[in-house]
């Protein structure tokens, strides 16, 4: 293969993390020697299901019992559970039954405990828990990515290439079920997110990915995660599995992506793009306004709640959007049902994880529909055993008749929302109320689409906290007092601080994206440093 100027600039411009980058490039050459076929994917999936108990016990043995400093060792001891007891419990009750028994005995972590925001206390035992203590001691940090920072500081997570391949098997089967073997695959995310992880999965089967769009100019992408991604591209070139050159496309101006999709569609091919829900909504609305027909385009929607209102905007452009539920720490949790009962209905990937609901009246204090996750992948970045990430969902067991049922043996989950309380300007706000008002009530009455409205925490000139209701200029003329009154009525904001002059105001500007490009319903103001 000929070394182009672009490849030379890429190699010469990498001034940091050179040793780890060269190691990664070498590992990628080996990684790409064997691409994932449909037959291999199905065979591996059968193995995972058939050996689920053995895999779970092996993960616990290698990554928990072999490391006395693991918080889970202390939790097991507090529960009076030895390694032999666990073996017997799993043999008798299976993985899911054993996890329920462990949960009832105190072997779990709430989201506040997992993030170190509250002490982990079980009886007379206090356990030191921090995300760093839950990192998998046997996994390699080959590929770096950052969390989105939606609910806290952005943190870097390392992915083992073996874990990437494990996840790529599920991605391949998901796309095959949708008829996507020959789709042109792409990704549109912010810097440092899961783009590198996602593109590497795409490159593990079929044709190499065709497009990589990023929300930040390349001249500012000098973080370790981005340098790591450059070495990933170099390794792909060496292995004759090239990655596309990242193209800067900001959230507010996605028209270049719409034009690329239109050009591909005109050739009879199908484009498939991964992206945050709010970004894809903006893309589809922009294409619709510009008269660009996206009929036939396929999206996999990630990172944010997938409501009926957002999905309707995507469909109006002619495109198809299917959800994927997951997190940076866990990877994919569920892929969208193709005959869904709700807009965010997904099949849980029980070959890679186990999912448990808290149930009513549990000693943990978790909401009844709170979900707890246990990872079964031996090389996952973290060891999760009954860990709550702050989400709740409806869990159902049903036969949906979609193509995913061929390989998904687990339950469905839908109506996925955070149960963590949203606190802004000294108030506790319900996420469900805000979502309904911003995505349904206000657009329905005043116009626009769901991502045209956002609530932002701010401060007044005297330093007192306040809230701003952002309304995108694209909505057009609006009766501001009526919009504020409708917002207050929708969330039940009656009297008290809400009547304080200046506490709630309406601003005509675009909603604020996070560093990774999400448009959250509530954007929290961050204290600026003095001077």
């Amino acid at each position: 293969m000929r070394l182009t100027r672009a490849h030379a600039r890429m190699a010469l411009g990498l001034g940091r993390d050179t040793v780890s980058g060269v190691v990664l490039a070498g590992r990628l050459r080996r990684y790409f020697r064997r691409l994932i076929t449909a037959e291999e994917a199905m065979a591996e999936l059968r193995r995972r299901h058939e050996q689920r108990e053995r895999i779970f016990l092996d993960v616990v043995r290698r990554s928990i019992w072999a490391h006395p400093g693991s918080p889970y060792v202390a939790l097991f001891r507090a529960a009076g559970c030895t390694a032999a007891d666990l073996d017997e419990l799993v043999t008798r009750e299976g993985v899911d039954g054993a996890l329920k028994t462990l949960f009832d005995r105190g072997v779990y972590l709430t989201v506040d405990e997992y993030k170190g925001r509250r002490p982990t206390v079980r009886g007379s035992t206090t356990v030191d828990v921090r995300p760093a203590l839950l990192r998998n001691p046997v996994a390699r940090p080959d590929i770096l990515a950052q969390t989105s920072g939606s609910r806290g500081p952005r943190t870097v997570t390392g992915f083992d290439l073996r874990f990437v391949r494990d996840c790529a098997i599920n991605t391949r089967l998901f796309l095959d079920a949708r008829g996507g073997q020959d789709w042109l695959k792409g990704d549109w995310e912010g810097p440092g997110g899961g783009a590198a992880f996602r593109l590497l999965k795409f490159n593990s089967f079929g044709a190499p990915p065709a497009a990589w769009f990023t929300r930040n100019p390349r001249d500012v992408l000098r973080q370790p995660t981005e340098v790591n991604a450059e070495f990933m591209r170099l390794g792909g070139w060496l292995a004759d599995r090239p990655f596309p050159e990242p193209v800067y496309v900001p959230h507010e101006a996605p028209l270049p992506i719409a034009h690329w999709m239109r050009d591909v569609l005109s050739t009879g091919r199908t484009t498939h793009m991964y992206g945050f829900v709010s970004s894809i909504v903006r893309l589809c609305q922009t294409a619709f306004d510009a008269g660009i027909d996206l009929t036939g385009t396929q999206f996999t929607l990630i990172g944010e709640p997938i409501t009926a209102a957002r999905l309707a905007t995507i469909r109006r452009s002619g495109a198809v959007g299917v959800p994927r539920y997951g997190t940076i720490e866990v990877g994919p949790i569920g892929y969208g049902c193709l005959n869904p009962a709700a807009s965010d209905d997904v099949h849980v990937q029980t070959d890679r994880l186990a999912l448990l609901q808290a149930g009513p009246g549990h000693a943990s204090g978790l909401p009844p529909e709170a979900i707890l996750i246990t990872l079964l992948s031996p090389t996952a970045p973290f060891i999760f055993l009954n860990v709550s990430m702050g989400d709740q969902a409806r869990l159902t067991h049903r036969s949906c008749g979609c193509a995913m049922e061929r390989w998904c043996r687990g339950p469905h989950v839908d109506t996925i929302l955070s149960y963590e309380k949203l606190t802004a300007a000294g108030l506790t706000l319900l996420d469900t109320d805000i979502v309904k008002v911003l995505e349904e009530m206000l657009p329905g009455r005043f116009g626009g689409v769901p991502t045209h409205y956002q609530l932002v925490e701010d401060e007044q000139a005297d330093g007192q906290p306040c809230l701003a209701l952002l309304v995108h200029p694209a909505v057009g003329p609006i009766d501001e007092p009526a919009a504020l009154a409708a917002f207050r009525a929708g969330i039940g904001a009656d009297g008290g601080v809400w009547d304080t002059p200046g506490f709630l105001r309406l601003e005509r500007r675009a909603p604020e994206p996070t560093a990774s490009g999400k448009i959250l319903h509530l954007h929290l103001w961050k204290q600026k440093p003095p001077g």
Side-chain angles (χ1 to χ4, degrees), residues 254-256 258-259 262 282-293:
L255 205 54
H259 286 307
R262 179 195 60 193
R282 177 63 57 84
L283 167 61
C284 291
Q285 182 63 36
T286 299
F288 182 84
D289 292 341
I292 298 175
D293 185 4

Side-chain angles (χ1 to χ4, degrees), residues 52 56 76 170 219 229 300 309 320-321 375 393 422 468 478:
R52 198 162 179 256
F56 169 69
F76 276 125
N170 299 80
D219 58 3
T300 295
V320 175
L375 283 170
L422 302 177
I478 189 172

Side-chain angles (χ1 to χ4, degrees), residues 138-157:
V138 303
R140 302 185 310 239
D142 292 324
I143 295 289
L144 303 181
Q146 283 182 315
T147 59
S148 66
S150 300
R151 302 178 190 173
R154 304 189 77 189
T155 57
V156 175
T157 297

Side-chain angles (χ1 to χ4, degrees), residues 452 471-477 508-511:
H452 282 162
V471 181
H472 200 290
V475 173
R508 299 305 308 273
R509 58 186 175 94

Side-chain angles (χ1 to χ4, degrees), residues 325-473:
Y325 173 44
T327 71
I328 282 288
E329 299 91 342
V330 174
I333 297 171
Y335 280 106
C337 177
L338 304 181
N339 186 21
S343 58
D344 60 350
D345 185 359
V346 300
H347 288 270
V348 178
Q349 309 299 286
T350 53
D351 61 300
R352 291 185 46 258
L353 56 90
L355 188 147
L356 175 72
Q357 275 192 309
H362 194 270
S364 64
L366 292 169
E369 291 192 323
I371 56 177
L372 299 102
I373 296 168
T374 297
L375 283 170
L376 307 181
S377 298
T379 53
F382 290 90
I383 297 300
F384 274 19
L385 201 160
N386 284 340
V387 176
S388 168
M389 298 294 289
D391 288 340
Q392 61 183 5
R394 183 179 69 157
L395 187 150
T396 59
H397 294 269
R398 67 183 182 91
S399 176
C400 62
C402 88
M404 296 278 288
E405 277 196 320
R406 182 186 175 200
W407 58 278
C408 290
R409 303 182 184 180
H412 293 244
V413 294
D414 62 55
T415 320
I416 306 164
L417 288 171
S418 168
Y419 66 77
E420 293 188 84
K421 294 179 180 179
L422 302 177
T423 302
L427 297 172
T428 297
L429 306 168
L430 295 179
D431 193 24
T432 51
D433 289 345
I434 293 177
V435 170
K436 183 175 182 179
V437 171
L438 298 183
E439 296 213 350
E440 299 178 16
M441 195 184 75
L442 293 181
R445 180 172 172 183
F446 300 100
V449 297
T451 53
H452 282 162
Y453 297 86
Q454 184 184 50
L455 189 65
V456 174
E457 183 186 40
D458 205 344
E459 69 173 4
Q460 303 179 62
D462 61 0
Q464 292 299 310
C466 63
L467 294 171
L469 176 62
L470 304 191
V471 181
H472 200 290

Side-chain angles (χ1 to χ4, degrees), residues 35-53:
L35 300 181
I36 300 170
T37 64
E39 294 74 19
E40 179 193 352
M42 286 300 301
E44 173 60 15
L45 201 78
R46 284 193 296 269
R47 184 194 72 83
R48 293 179 193 172
H49 282 299
E50 292 169 358
Q51 301 182 21
R52 198 162 179 256
E53 287 78 15

